[in-house]
């Protein structure tokens, strides 16, 4: 079964580009125009990874990040046009695994997703070997 990734961004062209690149890398992808829609779906069927825009209608990405972190350690990448040090620090402090600023390379984003999945798999194998 392919790993499932949820994307929330209010810009459809960005969601479409990310989805295309991720699907070409054999990930199952669902995209949402708001963080609230992603969170509702995540609460029903959790994904293996989340990519969140910070500035969206309704709840912003930081609010959705906090809500997901209250329940899950799923990897999360924040995606935003906001590139101040404070925004970056806030995203990491709230528990994101990475922080991407727009404009960005969808290919680099996919490589970072793969790197985070590899790190998680390595940690699982390491923990299983220690038992």
């Amino acid at each position: 079964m392919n790993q499932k990734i949820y994307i929330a961004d209010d810009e459809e062209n960005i969601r479409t580009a990310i989805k295309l690149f991720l699907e070409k890398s054999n990930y199952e992808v669902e995209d949402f125009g708001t963080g609230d829609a992603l969170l509702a779906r995540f609460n029903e069927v959790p994904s293996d990874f989340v990519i969140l825009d910070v500035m969206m209608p309704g709840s912003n990405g930081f609010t959705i990040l906090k809500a997901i972190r209250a329940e899950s350690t799923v990897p999360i990448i924040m995606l935003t046009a906001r590139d101040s040090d404070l925004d970056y620090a806030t995203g990491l402090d709230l528990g994101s695994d990475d922080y991407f600023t727009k404009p960005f390379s969808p290919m680099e984003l996919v490589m970072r997703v793969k790197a985070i999945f590899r790190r998680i798999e390595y940690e699982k194998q390491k923990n299983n070997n220690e038992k």
Side-chain angles (χ1 to χ4, degrees):
M1 186 171 99
N2 293 345
Q3 291 162 311
K4 184 182 296 193
I5 299 176
Y6 290 165
I7 303 166
D9 195 303
D10 58 332
E11 296 182 52
E12 187 175 356
N13 59 335
I14 289 177
R15 288 194 321 266
T16 301
I18 296 170
K19 186 174 182 176
L20 222 121
F21 275 82
L22 288 169
E23 287 176 342
K24 284 184 179 180
S25 294
N26 296 316
Y27 294 109
E28 182 182 333
V29 181
E30 287 185 48
D31 63 296
F32 307 88
T34 68
D36 295 314
L38 180 146
L39 184 60
R41 177 71 172 145
F42 187 88
N43 288 333
E44 292 171 14
V45 181
S47 63
D48 300 303
F49 206 104
V50 172
I51 299 171
L52 273 177
D53 185 18
V54 172
M55 297 181 291
M56 294 180 282
S59 301
N60 70 33
F62 291 143
T63 301
I64 302 302
L65 171 62
K66 279 194 261 185
I68 292 173
R69 278 291 169 255
E71 304 293 326
S72 174
T73 59
V74 65
I76 299 173
I77 290 179
M78 300 304 292
L79 185 64
T80 184
R82 298 169 66 165
D83 63 354
S84 77
D85 289 344
L86 179 59
D87 290 325
Y88 184 77
T90 299
L92 293 175
D93 188 50
L94 292 174
S96 71
D97 294 275
D98 207 344
Y99 195 95
F100 251 73
T101 55
K102 298 174 186 176
F104 64 94
S105 159
M107 189 184 317
E108 182 183 352
L109 179 62
V110 171
M111 293 299 109
R112 293 221 190 163
V113 168
K114 287 181 177 185
I116 291 170
F117 273 134
R118 277 194 307 271
R119 187 186 74 230
I120 291 168
E121 188 57 36
Y122 171 79
E123 290 297 323
K124 282 182 190 174
Q125 288 177 0
K126 183 178 166 190
N127 289 338
N128 285 340
N129 290 339
E130 291 175 357
K131 292 181 181 176

